[in-house]
Amino acid sequence: MHGIAETGYPGYFLITEDCIREARNMDVSVGPGRGSAAGSVVDYCIWITNIDPIKYDLLFERFLNPDRVSMPDIDIDFDDEGRSKVMDYVIEKYGSNQVAQIITYGTMAAKSSIRDTARVLDLPLFDADRISKLVPTMAKLNKIFGATDQELRQKFRSDDLPKVNELLTISAGLGLEAQTLNQARVLEGSIRNTGIHACGVIITPSDITNFVPVATAKDSDLYVTQFDNSVVEDAGLLKMDFLGLKTLTLIKDTVKLVKHKHDVDLDPDTFPLDDEKTYELFQRGETVGIFQYESDGMRKYMKELKPTVFADLIAMNALYRPGPLEYIPSFIRRKNGEETIEYDLPAMEEYLQETYGITVYQEQVMLLSQKLADFSKGDADVLRKAMGKKQKAVLDKMKPRFIKNAEANGHDSAKLEKIWKDWEAFASYAFNKSHSTCYAWIAYQTAYLKAHYPAEYMAAVLSNNMRDIKQVTFFM
């Protein structure tokens, strides 16, 4: 409470709580939380989130750090059919002149700038298409031109280098193709069109035009800010993220079907976390239709891991993404007793035990830096952010203090060097445990329903995907 008051954001929490309370009153399903907000006990106590942060070692400083003052960010999931009801409530309560959606700016990428320039300069479509196809995927023209041969070899694959060299040759010419390509280099990155942020909403204390320039948009009845997301936040405006999540609709529809067919009242928030049938479903890899666990790769790993506790699901949700994916085989072997669980220091076991000695979460780095080197909670979060964003200047400043403090606590300096090096390598991949816990809980709810009421659950899944023949085929 003191931290929230000190940073000046009590109003933000109260407005968020009001929106969520009214959503529940309107029978709109609300997610358990999303992102780092689940690390706040205050959020849990006023039912903004419903994941106990103390039970799962989730950290408030990951969400709001008094030593690194920035706007708190509470993203809220609603069922995709109920999101519009919540938006209508916000407009009605605060007034349409105090609520706005956020503009997005689409910029000209390399290929589109070439095609647009060619159209104006009357370069034949065939030539424009040929030149644009020479640009490697996701490459920028300004990163190609001005780079040395050695830098180009480092940046691009060997099969892309001939295309890059042809672009350089065209640019050095004197014809219409050269003019087109060189003008495209000037235009690249300039604003091409505008759109509306998928979920961001601004609420102001009085008329919005007193705070931010606004515009109208054909896709919205509301005002739209002329500042984009980053500028809106830097300007200190209150931003809410209202997201529609189809899975919440699936859960809601399944509960209604079970009530209709079996006259059983289900409350997904009270499903027991030790249900054997649910874990058996995960162990068999029968997770088609299960939130975030239905891909072929995840089903394969579920069969190998054979999860038995909720912590296994949280960890897999965090690990199954580019980067940490390579740690999954070791995680599985350790879970199944096929590989020795080792800790660099005995003191690390307290926080790494649930992930079998592997650092999976950002919160583990934060907790261990506090335990080993007496970092403050604020400093631990600064370290987490610096490692995640590879802020070398900050890390160079913090490393000597970490080593010195940890040595003073009786830890071996060579092992401390190894720990720091491992953290630097993995922290950029380490995931937010608060978010992983929230989404693992939604996944568990869907798995519980599929395990106990498979007909009703799959009926809800198919009904909510009936307009997408690919999805229907996948689920069938």
Side-chain angles (χ1 to χ4, degrees):
M1 291 291 285
H2 175 71
I4 294 168
E6 197 176 61
T7 49
Y9 296 127
Y12 181 73
F13 284 78
L14 293 172
I15 291 171
T16 304
E17 186 277 334
D18 174 60
C19 294
I20 290 175
R21 175 162 34 87
E22 190 58 32
R24 292 191 174 107
N25 290 341
M26 294 187 291
D27 196 32
V28 175
S29 294
V30 182
R34 182 186 177 99
S36 57
S40 167
V41 175
V42 173
D43 281 349
Y44 179 61
C45 289
I46 62 177
W47 212 14
I48 288 175
T49 61
N50 60 357
I51 293 288
D52 182 351
I54 296 172
K55 180 179 179 181
Y56 296 105
D57 275 334
L58 311 181
L59 302 182
F60 177 75
E61 288 73 24
R62 175 66 184 81
F63 166 60
L64 184 63
N65 180 0
D67 295 349
R68 177 185 53 83
V69 177
S70 58
M71 280 289 285
D73 190 13
I74 304 176
D75 298 342
I76 313 158
D77 286 320
F78 300 106
D79 69 73
D80 54 355
E81 294 174 353
R83 178 180 178 272
S84 59
K85 293 182 184 177
V86 181
M87 287 288 292
D88 291 342
Y89 169 75
V90 170
I91 295 164
E92 184 183 336
K93 175 150 188 173
Y94 296 99
S96 59
N97 65 325
Q98 292 176 226
V99 179
Q101 291 184 278
I102 301 169
I103 204 165
T104 58
Y105 291 109
T107 56
M108 295 180 77
K111 294 183 181 184
S112 64
S113 65
I114 291 170
R115 290 193 173 101
D116 285 357
T117 305
R119 194 178 305 118
V120 173
L121 295 179
D122 290 329
L123 183 72
L125 182 62
F126 173 79
D127 293 327
D129 197 46
R130 178 177 56 81
I131 295 171
S132 66
K133 284 179 178 176
L134 294 174
V135 181
T137 306
M138 303 301 289
K140 294 183 179 179
L141 293 175
N142 291 321
K143 291 285 177 72
I144 294 172
F145 295 93
T148 64
D149 287 345
Q150 185 178 352
E151 287 171 338
L152 289 174
R153 281 194 294 272
Q154 289 174 344
K155 284 180 186 174
F156 299 106
R157 301 196 313 260
S158 57
D159 54 333
D160 284 332
L161 279 174
K163 297 177 185 177
V164 170
N165 288 325
E166 189 175 345
L167 283 172
L168 294 171
T169 303
I170 293 171
S171 174
L174 298 173
L176 190 56
E177 289 187 359
Q179 188 183 349
T180 300
L181 186 54
N182 291 327
Q183 184 60 46
R185 288 169 57 191
V186 176
L187 289 175
E188 183 185 37
S190 57
I191 292 170
R192 189 171 194 268
N193 52 27
T194 63
I196 300 175
H197 192 283
C199 52
V201 178
I202 296 296
I203 304 173
T204 55
S206 60
D207 194 295
I208 196 160
T209 55
N210 295 330
F211 300 91
V212 60
V214 295
T216 55
K218 62 181 179 182
D219 301 325
S220 175
D221 296 330
L222 288 174
Y223 284 129
V224 179
T225 66
Q226 290 187 38
F227 291 161
D228 68 4
N229 204 21
S230 59
V231 180
V232 158
E233 289 186 353
D234 290 342
L237 296 173
L238 189 151
K239 181 175 81 76
M240 315 281 287
D241 281 325
F242 297 154
L243 298 102
L245 188 62
K246 186 191 285 186
T247 305
L248 296 177
T249 307
L250 300 182
I251 294 170
K252 186 177 181 178
D253 289 352
T254 307
V255 169
K256 287 178 181 175
L257 285 171
V258 171
K259 173 66 176 174
H260 175 74
K261 191 173 179 184
H262 304 287
D263 198 28
V264 174
D265 291 307
L266 292 175
D267 179 3
D269 289 335
T270 62
F271 289 166
L273 275 173
D274 57 355
D275 182 69
E276 283 187 22
K277 283 186 77 172
T278 303
Y279 286 109
E280 285 169 2
L281 182 137
F282 280 112
Q283 289 163 12
R284 293 191 303 270
E286 294 176 4
T287 52
V288 170
I290 302 304
F291 182 61
Q292 298 212 330
Y293 289 79
E294 65 185 6
S295 69
D296 290 339
M298 182 64 100
R299 287 158 61 196
K300 169 180 170 285
Y301 286 132
M302 282 288 111
K303 284 191 268 190
E304 293 175 6
L305 178 67
K306 302 199 181 308
T308 53
V309 290
F310 187 54
D312 291 343
L313 301 180
I314 300 172
M316 282 300 292
N317 190 267
L319 285 168
Y320 193 74
R321 56 197 73 246
L325 197 66
E326 64 185 85
Y327 292 85
I328 291 179
S330 177
F331 181 84
I332 290 171
R333 288 194 299 271
R334 292 182 179 206
K335 156 78 176 173
N336 294 328
E338 297 162 4
E339 183 179 308
T340 306
I341 298 173
E342 295 176 342
Y343 304 96
D344 290 317
L345 295 170
M348 299 175 76
E349 182 174 354
E350 180 183 358
Y351 296 123
L352 296 184
Q353 188 175 23
E354 68 170 325
T355 52
Y356 312 109
I358 296 172
T359 306
V360 174
Y361 311 117
Q362 296 167 346
E363 285 86 344
Q364 288 173 317
V365 172
M366 292 170 67
L367 288 164
L368 287 169
S369 66
Q370 293 172 57
K371 182 173 184 177
L372 301 178
D374 300 327
F375 273 27
S376 70
K377 292 179 177 181
D379 284 342
D381 182 61
V382 172
L383 173 65
R384 183 270 314 166
K385 187 178 181 184
M387 284 185 164
K389 295 187 179 291
K390 294 182 166 42
Q391 297 171 339
K392 190 173 185 302
V394 179
L395 292 174
D396 288 346
K397 190 176 174 184
M398 298 188 89
K399 181 181 177 181
R401 184 151 63 94
F402 173 80
I403 301 292
K404 181 182 175 185
N405 289 5
E407 280 184 327
N409 287 338
H411 300 300
D412 179 67
S413 60
K415 288 188 175 179
L416 291 170
E417 287 282 353
K418 179 186 179 299
I419 290 165
W420 185 270
K421 189 176 177 184
D422 289 346
W423 282 358
E424 283 188 316
F426 186 69
S428 57
Y429 300 133
F431 199 64
N432 178 343
K433 188 182 182 186
S434 298
H435 184 73
S436 191
T437 303
C438 292
Y439 272 26
W441 174 228
I442 296 176
Y444 184 89
Q445 290 176 332
T446 59
Y448 182 95
L449 290 169
K450 185 177 180 181
H452 291 269
Y453 302 98
E456 291 78 8
Y457 181 71
M458 291 312 295
V461 169
L462 291 169
S463 297
N464 279 277
N465 288 279
M466 62 195 301
R467 291 184 180 87
D468 187 340
I469 190 64
K470 283 188 178 178
Q471 284 291 84
V472 170
T473 305
F474 173 72
F475 291 126
M476 293 294 281

